Amino acid sequence: MRITRISTHVVGTPWRNLTYVQVHTDEGLTGVGETRMLGHTDALLGYLREAEANHIAGSDPFDTEDLVRRMKYGDYGRAGEIVMSGIACVEMACWDIKGKALGVPVWQLLGGKVTDRVKAYANGWYTTERTPEAYHKAAQEVVARGYRALKIDPFGTGHLELDAEGTRYAVSLIEAVRDAIGPDAELMLEMHGRFSPATAVRLAHEMAPFRPAWLEEPVPPENLKALAKVAAKVDMPIATGERIHDRIEFRELFESQAADIIQPDLGHIGGILETRKLAATAETHYMLVAPHNVGGPVLTAASLQLAACTPNFKILEHFNDFADAEIKKIVTGAPEIDPETGCFPLSHAPGLGVELDTDAAAEFPQQQARFDLWAEGWEQRRPSGDAR
């Protein structure tokens, strides 16, 4: 079997563009992969056009390891977010092809299942007025849909510091959310790399009474010594890793023991097997894996294949019940949580278990998507210039 060509499809919303890559073969099988770029979608498409000619066309989709190696190192320049995201889309699609050819789900090819269901947490649910009352109501609706966990960044446009008034208001939002979801649901606290170590530690102590399940990206991701400084002074798990695009770059994080939970994004770190290798290394450091997943249904399906066969998998992020829920119709077989358990059931369908509907995808053309975490009203995910 040989890859004959790839095709790309961009599904647009005002705040994110989702890129889907179909890999076509000479035996009629087609696989699909997905990533979400922030502000670099056209750059990704340009890279994929070159990679198709240089590496992809003519390759055997079963030789995934070799294809990834050539795409990552064969152009000599160091692979960053764009290259690793392109690799991820193609790699996922190759696994999809392999599963379909053999009639088994991808998790079966990666060692078999260790669980029948995968816990989910909701994100993108607080696209509402930024008040305790509105957040209380929105959080209740999350729980009513069956979720037992949800995540929130309550810090507005905070950057390095957060003044006393901003701190009190952030605390009031978290207090309202915890009251809405009850004592047993997990509440993940997101900082988006906003703060200095001192501010992150102070805010973590302010939030401690509401029992966050983790503290995510408390400081910018480039300085792991700063992260270790925070980890040494707070009593809650530290989560990070969504902005690391090569599993080799996790080495320093593992050595520092500055995190308890790693959050690789399958769509940015080279795909399913690269993330599975990373998860195995994390297991040797007693760290859990909770992938960053701000993509659509294909990236979710790929992440669930990883979850099924990974012993140290904790939980999977999910946006598409709340932000841009309509895009689920671009595939058949979109993953759905079971409201009785708050979990995704394990798919036994061949490959990734989803099929891209290109006609449905065409109903959501590429947009000039913009998502600025430092702009007032960012959490509402409205079109650029419409935050209020």
Side-chain angles (χ1 to χ4, degrees), residues 35-38 40 68 71-73 78-89 217 221-222 224 240-251 253 262-272 274-275 278 292:
T35 192
R36 177 226 55 170
M37 302 298 295
L38 280 180
H40 306 304
V68 168
M71 291 180 72
K72 184 176 180 181
Y73 297 112
R78 185 175 178 181
E81 181 184 18
I82 291 168
V83 170
M84 295 306 294
S85 300
I87 291 172
C89 291
E217 266 201 338
E222 296 85 3
L224 291 180
T240 194
E242 69 181 70
R243 288 189 272 181
I244 303 177
H245 305 129
D246 187 334
R247 63 184 170 85
I248 296 170
E249 294 176 7
F250 274 86
R251 178 183 56 79
L253 181 64
I262 61 166
Q263 300 174 292
D265 188 316
L266 274 71
H268 292 315
I269 202 166
I272 295 171
E274 287 292 286
T275 313
L278 177 64
H292 179 251

